[in-house]
PDB file of all heavy atoms in Angstrom:
ATOM      1  N   GLY A 113       0.781  -1.226   0.000  1.00  0.00           N
ATOM      2  CA  GLY A 113       0.000   0.000   0.000  1.00  0.00           C
ATOM      3  C   GLY A 113       0.809   1.270   0.000  1.00  0.00           C
ATOM      4  O   GLY A 113       0.268   2.342  -0.294  1.00  0.00           O
ATOM      5  N   ALA A 114       2.095   1.205   0.303  1.00  0.00           N
ATOM      6  CA  ALA A 114       2.946   2.398   0.301  1.00  0.00           C
ATOM      7  C   ALA A 114       3.518   2.631  -1.093  1.00  0.00           C
ATOM      8  O   ALA A 114       3.736   1.676  -1.838  1.00  0.00           O
ATOM      9  CB  ALA A 114       4.086   2.241   1.309  1.00  0.00           C
ATOM     10  N   PRO A 115       3.748   3.888  -1.483  1.00  0.00           N
ATOM     11  CA  PRO A 115       4.386   4.139  -2.776  1.00  0.00           C
ATOM     12  C   PRO A 115       5.766   3.498  -2.815  1.00  0.00           C
ATOM     13  O   PRO A 115       6.540   3.574  -1.848  1.00  0.00           O
ATOM     14  CB  PRO A 115       4.486   5.675  -2.828  1.00  0.00           C
ATOM     15  CG  PRO A 115       3.482   6.168  -1.835  1.00  0.00           C
ATOM     16  CD  PRO A 115       3.415   5.126  -0.756  1.00  0.00           C
ATOM     17  N   LEU A 116       6.078   2.827  -3.931  1.00  0.00           N
ATOM     18  CA  LEU A 116       7.374   2.176  -4.052  1.00  0.00           C
ATOM     19  C   LEU A 116       8.485   3.217  -4.093  1.00  0.00           C
ATOM     20  O   LEU A 116       8.374   4.251  -4.746  1.00  0.00           O
ATOM     21  CB  LEU A 116       7.413   1.311  -5.304  1.00  0.00           C
ATOM     22  CG  LEU A 116       6.572   0.037  -5.258  1.00  0.00           C
ATOM     23  CD1 LEU A 116       6.642  -0.693  -6.586  1.00  0.00           C
ATOM     24  CD2 LEU A 116       7.010  -0.877  -4.125  1.00  0.00           C
ATOM     25  N   TRP A 117       9.558   2.922  -3.413  1.00  0.00           N
ATOM     26  CA  TRP A 117      10.701   3.837  -3.332  1.00  0.00           C
ATOM     27  C   TRP A 117      11.697   3.461  -4.422  1.00  0.00           C
ATOM     28  O   TRP A 117      12.207   2.341  -4.453  1.00  0.00           O
ATOM     29  CB  TRP A 117      11.348   3.750  -1.952  1.00  0.00           C
ATOM     30  CG  TRP A 117      12.425   4.768  -1.745  1.00  0.00           C
ATOM     31  CD1 TRP A 117      13.764   4.596  -1.903  1.00  0.00           C
ATOM     32  CD2 TRP A 117      12.250   6.129  -1.355  1.00  0.00           C
ATOM     33  NE1 TRP A 117      14.436   5.753  -1.632  1.00  0.00           N
ATOM     34  CE2 TRP A 117      13.527   6.716  -1.282  1.00  0.00           C
ATOM     35  CE3 TRP A 117      11.126   6.898  -1.041  1.00  0.00           C
ATOM     36  CZ2 TRP A 117      13.716   8.047  -0.927  1.00  0.00           C
ATOM     37  CZ3 TRP A 117      11.321   8.219  -0.682  1.00  0.00           C
ATOM     38  CH2 TRP A 117      12.599   8.781  -0.623  1.00  0.00           C
ATOM     39  N   LYS A 118      12.030   4.392  -5.329  1.00  0.00           N
ATOM     40  CA  LYS A 118      12.935   4.122  -6.438  1.00  0.00           C
ATOM     41  C   LYS A 118      14.172   5.009  -6.440  1.00  0.00           C
ATOM     42  O   LYS A 118      14.998   4.908  -7.341  1.00  0.00           O
ATOM     43  CB  LYS A 118      12.195   4.296  -7.770  1.00  0.00           C
ATOM     44  CG  LYS A 118      11.013   3.346  -7.937  1.00  0.00           C
ATOM     45  CD  LYS A 118      10.348   3.513  -9.284  1.00  0.00           C
ATOM     46  CE  LYS A 118       9.184   2.576  -9.443  1.00  0.00           C
ATOM     47  NZ  LYS A 118       8.513   2.715 -10.777  1.00  0.00           N
ATOM     48  N   ASP A 119      14.298   5.867  -5.416  1.00  0.00           N
ATOM     49  CA  ASP A 119      15.438   6.785  -5.348  1.00  0.00           C
ATOM     50  C   ASP A 119      16.613   6.060  -4.698  1.00  0.00           C
ATOM     51  O   ASP A 119      16.770   6.048  -3.484  1.00  0.00           O
ATOM     52  CB  ASP A 119      15.054   8.027  -4.546  1.00  0.00           C
ATOM     53  CG  ASP A 119      16.079   9.147  -4.719  1.00  0.00           C
ATOM     54  OD1 ASP A 119      17.107   8.921  -5.385  1.00  0.00           O
ATOM     55  OD2 ASP A 119      15.848  10.245  -4.175  1.00  0.00           O
ATOM     56  N   TYR A 120      17.422   5.463  -5.539  1.00  0.00           N
ATOM     57  CA  TYR A 120      18.520   4.605  -5.080  1.00  0.00           C
ATOM     58  C   TYR A 120      19.512   5.380  -4.213  1.00  0.00           C
ATOM     59  O   TYR A 120      19.930   6.475  -4.556  1.00  0.00           O
ATOM     60  CB  TYR A 120      19.218   4.015  -6.311  1.00  0.00           C
ATOM     61  CG  TYR A 120      20.379   3.107  -6.029  1.00  0.00           C
ATOM     62  CD1 TYR A 120      20.201   1.941  -5.284  1.00  0.00           C
ATOM     63  CD2 TYR A 120      21.643   3.396  -6.513  1.00  0.00           C
ATOM     64  CE1 TYR A 120      21.270   1.097  -5.042  1.00  0.00           C
ATOM     65  CE2 TYR A 120      22.710   2.559  -6.270  1.00  0.00           C
ATOM     66  CZ  TYR A 120      22.514   1.409  -5.526  1.00  0.00           C
ATOM     67  OH  TYR A 120      23.579   0.581  -5.278  1.00  0.00           O
ATOM     68  N   GLN A 121      19.857   4.787  -3.071  1.00  0.00           N
ATOM     69  CA  GLN A 121      20.837   5.309  -2.118  1.00  0.00           C
ATOM     70  C   GLN A 121      20.382   6.606  -1.434  1.00  0.00           C
ATOM     71  O   GLN A 121      21.199   7.336  -0.886  1.00  0.00           O
ATOM     72  CB  GLN A 121      22.214   5.513  -2.777  1.00  0.00           C
ATOM     73  CG  GLN A 121      22.859   4.225  -3.256  1.00  0.00           C
ATOM     74  CD  GLN A 121      24.283   4.412  -3.727  1.00  0.00           C
ATOM     75  OE1 GLN A 121      24.862   5.493  -3.611  1.00  0.00           O
ATOM     76  NE2 GLN A 121      24.867   3.372  -4.284  1.00  0.00           N
ATOM     77  N   ASN A 122      19.115   6.896  -1.447  1.00  0.00           N
ATOM     78  CA  ASN A 122      18.582   8.041  -0.720  1.00  0.00           C
ATOM     79  C   ASN A 122      17.882   7.518   0.539  1.00  0.00           C
ATOM     80  O   ASN A 122      16.845   6.861   0.462  1.00  0.00           O
ATOM     81  CB  ASN A 122      17.603   8.817  -1.591  1.00  0.00           C
ATOM     82  CG  ASN A 122      17.044  10.047  -0.874  1.00  0.00           C
ATOM     83  OD1 ASN A 122      17.252  10.242   0.316  1.00  0.00           O
ATOM     84  ND2 ASN A 122      16.343  10.875  -1.616  1.00  0.00           N
ATOM     85  N   PHE A 123      18.462   7.825   1.700  1.00  0.00           N
ATOM     86  CA  PHE A 123      17.912   7.352   2.968  1.00  0.00           C
ATOM     87  C   PHE A 123      17.383   8.529   3.794  1.00  0.00           C
ATOM     88  O   PHE A 123      17.526   8.572   5.012  1.00  0.00           O
ATOM     89  CB  PHE A 123      18.970   6.591   3.759  1.00  0.00           C
ATOM     90  CG  PHE A 123      19.415   5.322   3.077  1.00  0.00           C
ATOM     91  CD1 PHE A 123      20.587   5.293   2.343  1.00  0.00           C
ATOM     92  CD2 PHE A 123      18.660   4.174   3.155  1.00  0.00           C
ATOM     93  CE1 PHE A 123      21.008   4.140   1.711  1.00  0.00           C
ATOM     94  CE2 PHE A 123      19.062   3.007   2.532  1.00  0.00           C
ATOM     95  CZ  PHE A 123      20.244   2.989   1.801  1.00  0.00           C
ATOM     96  N   GLY A 124      16.764   9.484   3.117  1.00  0.00           N
ATOM     97  CA  GLY A 124      16.172  10.615   3.807  1.00  0.00           C
ATOM     98  C   GLY A 124      14.966  10.204   4.628  1.00  0.00           C
ATOM     99  O   GLY A 124      14.433   9.089   4.500  1.00  0.00           O
ATOM    100  N   PRO A 125      14.488  11.107   5.502  1.00  0.00           N
ATOM    101  CA  PRO A 125      13.357  10.753   6.392  1.00  0.00           C
ATOM    102  C   PRO A 125      12.093  10.396   5.635  1.00  0.00           C
ATOM    103  O   PRO A 125      11.259   9.642   6.146  1.00  0.00           O
ATOM    104  CB  PRO A 125      13.180  12.019   7.231  1.00  0.00           C
ATOM    105  CG  PRO A 125      13.828  13.121   6.444  1.00  0.00           C
ATOM    106  CD  PRO A 125      14.974  12.479   5.721  1.00  0.00           C
ATOM    107  N   GLU A 126      11.913  10.910   4.413  1.00  0.00           N
ATOM    108  CA  GLU A 126      10.708  10.593   3.667  1.00  0.00           C
ATOM    109  C   GLU A 126      10.652   9.110   3.288  1.00  0.00           C
ATOM    110  O   GLU A 126       9.576   8.567   3.007  1.00  0.00           O
ATOM    111  CB  GLU A 126      10.606  11.467   2.418  1.00  0.00           C
ATOM    112  CG  GLU A 126      11.733  11.294   1.414  1.00  0.00           C
ATOM    113  CD  GLU A 126      12.963  12.136   1.740  1.00  0.00           C
ATOM    114  OE1 GLU A 126      13.039  12.686   2.850  1.00  0.00           O
ATOM    115  OE2 GLU A 126      13.848  12.235   0.862  1.00  0.00           O
ATOM    116  N   ARG A 127      11.804   8.460   3.287  1.00  0.00           N
ATOM    117  CA  ARG A 127      11.816   7.039   2.965  1.00  0.00           C
ATOM    118  C   ARG A 127      11.246   6.196   4.100  1.00  0.00           C
ATOM    119  O   ARG A 127      10.772   5.075   3.890  1.00  0.00           O
ATOM    120  CB  ARG A 127      13.242   6.594   2.633  1.00  0.00           C
ATOM    121  CG  ARG A 127      13.370   5.122   2.220  1.00  0.00           C
ATOM    122  CD  ARG A 127      14.730   4.832   1.651  1.00  0.00           C
ATOM    123  NE  ARG A 127      14.882   3.444   1.231  1.00  0.00           N
ATOM    124  CZ  ARG A 127      15.859   2.984   0.479  1.00  0.00           C
ATOM    125  NH1 ARG A 127      16.797   3.803   0.052  1.00  0.00           N
ATOM    126  NH2 ARG A 127      15.930   1.715   0.142  1.00  0.00           N
ATOM    127  N   PHE A 128      11.279   6.698   5.312  1.00  0.00           N
ATOM    128  CA  PHE A 128      10.878   5.928   6.478  1.00  0.00           C
ATOM    129  C   PHE A 128       9.449   6.232   6.946  1.00  0.00           C
ATOM    130  O   PHE A 128       8.967   5.609   7.881  1.00  0.00           O
ATOM    131  CB  PHE A 128      11.846   6.207   7.639  1.00  0.00           C
ATOM    132  CG  PHE A 128      13.248   5.722   7.371  1.00  0.00           C
ATOM    133  CD1 PHE A 128      14.141   6.494   6.643  1.00  0.00           C
ATOM    134  CD2 PHE A 128      13.669   4.499   7.842  1.00  0.00           C
ATOM    135  CE1 PHE A 128      15.429   6.056   6.398  1.00  0.00           C
ATOM    136  CE2 PHE A 128      14.958   4.037   7.603  1.00  0.00           C
ATOM    137  CZ  PHE A 128      15.843   4.819   6.881  1.00  0.00           C
ATOM    138  N   GLN A 129       8.759   7.165   6.303  1.00  0.00           N
ATOM    139  CA  GLN A 129       7.480   7.612   6.850  1.00  0.00           C
ATOM    140  C   GLN A 129       6.384   6.558   6.733  1.00  0.00           C
ATOM    141  O   GLN A 129       5.381   6.633   7.457  1.00  0.00           O
ATOM    142  CB  GLN A 129       7.050   8.900   6.141  1.00  0.00           C
ATOM    143  CG  GLN A 129       6.799   8.743   4.636  1.00  0.00           C
ATOM    144  CD  GLN A 129       6.330  10.024   3.989  1.00  0.00           C
ATOM    145  OE1 GLN A 129       5.543  10.753   4.577  1.00  0.00           O
ATOM    146  NE2 GLN A 129       6.814  10.316   2.788  1.00  0.00           N
ATOM    147  N   TYR A 130       6.546   5.573   5.835  1.00  0.00           N
ATOM    148  CA  TYR A 130       5.501   4.564   5.672  1.00  0.00           C
ATOM    149  C   TYR A 130       5.771   3.294   6.479  1.00  0.00           C
ATOM    150  O   TYR A 130       4.984   2.350   6.414  1.00  0.00           O
ATOM    151  CB  TYR A 130       5.370   4.194   4.193  1.00  0.00           C
ATOM    152  CG  TYR A 130       4.858   5.332   3.343  1.00  0.00           C
ATOM    153  CD1 TYR A 130       5.743   6.111   2.593  1.00  0.00           C
ATOM    154  CD2 TYR A 130       3.500   5.645   3.288  1.00  0.00           C
ATOM    155  CE1 TYR A 130       5.284   7.170   1.818  1.00  0.00           C
ATOM    156  CE2 TYR A 130       3.032   6.689   2.510  1.00  0.00           C
ATOM    157  CZ  TYR A 130       3.933   7.449   1.778  1.00  0.00           C
ATOM    158  OH  TYR A 130       3.482   8.490   1.013  1.00  0.00           O
ATOM    159  N   LEU A 131       6.859   3.264   7.219  1.00  0.00           N
ATOM    160  CA  LEU A 131       7.178   2.061   7.979  1.00  0.00           C
ATOM    161  C   LEU A 131       6.278   1.947   9.203  1.00  0.00           C
ATOM    162  O   LEU A 131       5.846   2.942   9.777  1.00  0.00           O
ATOM    163  CB  LEU A 131       8.645   2.082   8.403  1.00  0.00           C
ATOM    164  CG  LEU A 131       9.672   2.172   7.267  1.00  0.00           C
ATOM    165  CD1 LEU A 131      11.074   2.015   7.811  1.00  0.00           C
ATOM    166  CD2 LEU A 131       9.392   1.123   6.201  1.00  0.00           C
ATOM    167  N   GLN A 132       6.007   0.727   9.611  1.00  0.00           N
ATOM    168  CA  GLN A 132       5.155   0.453  10.762  1.00  0.00           C
ATOM    169  C   GLN A 132       5.805  -0.600  11.652  1.00  0.00           C
ATOM    170  O   GLN A 132       6.646  -1.384  11.214  1.00  0.00           O
ATOM    171  CB  GLN A 132       3.788  -0.054  10.305  1.00  0.00           C
ATOM    172  CG  GLN A 132       3.018   0.915   9.427  1.00  0.00           C
ATOM    173  CD  GLN A 132       1.661   0.381   9.074  1.00  0.00           C
ATOM    174  OE1 GLN A 132       0.897  -0.062   9.940  1.00  0.00           O
ATOM    175  NE2 GLN A 132       1.329   0.412   7.793  1.00  0.00           N
ATOM    176  N   VAL A 133       5.372  -0.604  12.909  1.00  0.00           N
ATOM    177  CA  VAL A 133       5.826  -1.623  13.844  1.00  0.00           C
ATOM    178  C   VAL A 133       5.165  -2.957  13.488  1.00  0.00           C
ATOM    179  O   VAL A 133       4.008  -3.001  13.067  1.00  0.00           O
ATOM    180  CB  VAL A 133       5.475  -1.217  15.290  1.00  0.00           C
ATOM    181  CG1 VAL A 133       5.947  -2.273  16.284  1.00  0.00           C
ATOM    182  CG2 VAL A 133       6.091   0.139  15.612  1.00  0.00           C
ATOM    183  N   GLN A 134       5.892  -4.040  13.669  1.00  0.00           N
ATOM    184  CA  GLN A 134       5.332  -5.373  13.484  1.00  0.00           C
ATOM    185  C   GLN A 134       4.857  -5.936  14.827  1.00  0.00           C
ATOM    186  O   GLN A 134       5.506  -5.723  15.858  1.00  0.00           O
ATOM    187  CB  GLN A 134       6.375  -6.317  12.882  1.00  0.00           C
ATOM    188  CG  GLN A 134       6.747  -5.998  11.446  1.00  0.00           C
ATOM    189  CD  GLN A 134       7.666  -7.058  10.855  1.00  0.00           C
ATOM    190  OE1 GLN A 134       8.369  -7.764  11.568  1.00  0.00           O
ATOM    191  NE2 GLN A 134       7.673  -7.165   9.537  1.00  0.00           N
ATOM    192  N   TYR A 135       3.736  -6.675  14.787  1.00  0.00           N
ATOM    193  CA  TYR A 135       3.192  -7.307  15.983  1.00  0.00           C
ATOM    194  C   TYR A 135       2.907  -8.769  15.667  1.00  0.00           C
ATOM    195  O   TYR A 135       2.274  -9.074  14.650  1.00  0.00           O
ATOM    196  CB  TYR A 135       1.902  -6.621  16.433  1.00  0.00           C
ATOM    197  CG  TYR A 135       2.069  -5.164  16.790  1.00  0.00           C
ATOM    198  CD1 TYR A 135       1.917  -4.171  15.823  1.00  0.00           C
ATOM    199  CD2 TYR A 135       2.399  -4.771  18.087  1.00  0.00           C
ATOM    200  CE1 TYR A 135       2.070  -2.835  16.139  1.00  0.00           C
ATOM    201  CE2 TYR A 135       2.555  -3.436  18.414  1.00  0.00           C
ATOM    202  CZ  TYR A 135       2.394  -2.470  17.432  1.00  0.00           C
ATOM    203  OH  TYR A 135       2.554  -1.151  17.752  1.00  0.00           O
ATOM    204  N   GLN A 136       3.346  -9.639  16.548  1.00  0.00           N
ATOM    205  CA  GLN A 136       3.151 -11.066  16.346  1.00  0.00           C
ATOM    206  C   GLN A 136       2.481 -11.672  17.576  1.00  0.00           C
ATOM    207  O   GLN A 136       2.963 -11.510  18.701  1.00  0.00           O
ATOM    208  CB  GLN A 136       4.481 -11.765  16.072  1.00  0.00           C
ATOM    209  CG  GLN A 136       5.134 -11.321  14.775  1.00  0.00           C
ATOM    210  CD  GLN A 136       6.448 -12.026  14.495  1.00  0.00           C
ATOM    211  OE1 GLN A 136       6.892 -12.849  15.282  1.00  0.00           O
ATOM    212  NE2 GLN A 136       7.065 -11.690  13.369  1.00  0.00           N
ATOM    213  N   PHE A 137       1.346 -12.372  17.324  1.00  0.00           N
ATOM    214  CA  PHE A 137       0.598 -13.059  18.357  1.00  0.00           C
ATOM    215  C   PHE A 137       0.519 -14.545  17.997  1.00  0.00           C
ATOM    216  O   PHE A 137       0.788 -14.914  16.847  1.00  0.00           O
ATOM    217  CB  PHE A 137      -0.808 -12.469  18.483  1.00  0.00           C
ATOM    218  CG  PHE A 137      -0.838 -10.970  18.707  1.00  0.00           C
ATOM    219  CD1 PHE A 137      -0.912 -10.085  17.630  1.00  0.00           C
ATOM    220  CD2 PHE A 137      -0.770 -10.457  19.992  1.00  0.00           C
ATOM    221  CE1 PHE A 137      -0.935  -8.718  17.837  1.00  0.00           C
ATOM    222  CE2 PHE A 137      -0.793  -9.086  20.207  1.00  0.00           C
ATOM    223  CZ  PHE A 137      -0.866  -8.215  19.132  1.00  0.00           C
ATOM    224  N   PRO A 138       0.145 -15.388  18.912  1.00  0.00           N
ATOM    225  CA  PRO A 138       0.066 -16.822  18.585  1.00  0.00           C
ATOM    226  C   PRO A 138      -0.843 -17.128  17.396  1.00  0.00           C
ATOM    227  O   PRO A 138      -0.542 -18.026  16.604  1.00  0.00           O
ATOM    228  CB  PRO A 138      -0.464 -17.453  19.878  1.00  0.00           C
ATOM    229  CG  PRO A 138       0.021 -16.546  20.957  1.00  0.00           C
ATOM    230  CD  PRO A 138      -0.059 -15.161  20.364  1.00  0.00           C
ATOM    231  N   SER A 139      -1.962 -16.391  17.249  1.00  0.00           N
ATOM    232  CA  SER A 139      -2.921 -16.697  16.183  1.00  0.00           C
ATOM    233  C   SER A 139      -2.910 -15.695  15.044  1.00  0.00           C
ATOM    234  O   SER A 139      -3.656 -15.873  14.068  1.00  0.00           O
ATOM    235  CB  SER A 139      -4.341 -16.775  16.762  1.00  0.00           C
ATOM    236  OG  SER A 139      -4.424 -17.753  17.774  1.00  0.00           O
ATOM    237  N   PHE A 140      -2.117 -14.653  15.135  1.00  0.00           N
ATOM    238  CA  PHE A 140      -2.182 -13.591  14.152  1.00  0.00           C
ATOM    239  C   PHE A 140      -0.849 -12.860  14.072  1.00  0.00           C
ATOM    240  O   PHE A 140      -0.149 -12.705  15.082  1.00  0.00           O
ATOM    241  CB  PHE A 140      -3.297 -12.602  14.512  1.00  0.00           C
ATOM    242  CG  PHE A 140      -3.398 -11.421  13.594  1.00  0.00           C
ATOM    243  CD1 PHE A 140      -3.754 -11.577  12.269  1.00  0.00           C
ATOM    244  CD2 PHE A 140      -3.128 -10.140  14.065  1.00  0.00           C
ATOM    245  CE1 PHE A 140      -3.846 -10.476  11.418  1.00  0.00           C
ATOM    246  CE2 PHE A 140      -3.220  -9.045  13.226  1.00  0.00           C
ATOM    247  CZ  PHE A 140      -3.583  -9.213  11.894  1.00  0.00           C
ATOM    248  N   SER A 141      -0.525 -12.433  12.849  1.00  0.00           N
ATOM    249  CA  SER A 141       0.706 -11.661  12.632  1.00  0.00           C
ATOM    250  C   SER A 141       0.380 -10.438  11.795  1.00  0.00           C
ATOM    251  O   SER A 141      -0.133 -10.561  10.672  1.00  0.00           O
ATOM    252  CB  SER A 141       1.757 -12.523  11.925  1.00  0.00           C
ATOM    253  OG  SER A 141       2.891 -11.756  11.598  1.00  0.00           O
ATOM    254  N   TYR A 142       0.637  -9.273  12.366  1.00  0.00           N
ATOM    255  CA  TYR A 142       0.523  -8.027  11.620  1.00  0.00           C
ATOM    256  C   TYR A 142       1.937  -7.659  11.205  1.00  0.00           C
ATOM    257  O   TYR A 142       2.725  -7.148  11.986  1.00  0.00           O
ATOM    258  CB  TYR A 142      -0.100  -6.929  12.477  1.00  0.00           C
ATOM    259  CG  TYR A 142      -0.253  -5.605  11.762  1.00  0.00           C
ATOM    260  CD1 TYR A 142      -1.306  -5.396  10.874  1.00  0.00           C
ATOM    261  CD2 TYR A 142       0.679  -4.589  11.949  1.00  0.00           C
ATOM    262  CE1 TYR A 142      -1.449  -4.195  10.212  1.00  0.00           C
ATOM    263  CE2 TYR A 142       0.545  -3.383  11.277  1.00  0.00           C
ATOM    264  CZ  TYR A 142      -0.508  -3.192  10.405  1.00  0.00           C
ATOM    265  OH  TYR A 142      -0.633  -1.997   9.735  1.00  0.00           O
ATOM    266  N   SER A 143       2.271  -7.970   9.944  1.00  0.00           N
ATOM    267  CA  SER A 143       3.676  -7.934   9.530  1.00  0.00           C
ATOM    268  C   SER A 143       3.872  -7.199   8.214  1.00  0.00           C
ATOM    269  O   SER A 143       4.231  -7.796   7.189  1.00  0.00           O
ATOM    270  CB  SER A 143       4.212  -9.364   9.402  1.00  0.00           C
ATOM    271  OG  SER A 143       4.043 -10.078  10.584  1.00  0.00           O
TER     272      SER A 143
END
């Protein structure tokens, strides 16, 4: 669902804005 990142070797803050925490439970994984 996030826009694909194609700017090679650019690690600016805009690259990280779509990242989310992962949560893992015995019956479900939000990954």
Side-chain angles (χ1 to χ4, degrees):
L116 289 177
W117 187 264
K118 299 182 180 180
D119 193 356
Y120 180 60
Q121 296 188 6
N122 181 351
F123 295 99
E126 62 276 12
R127 182 169 181 166
F128 295 83
Q129 63 178 321
Y130 294 99
L131 301 187
Q132 300 183 50
V133 180
Q134 291 186 336
Y135 299 90
Q136 295 181 359
F137 306 91
S139 302
F140 177 65
S141 174
Y142 180 79
S143 304

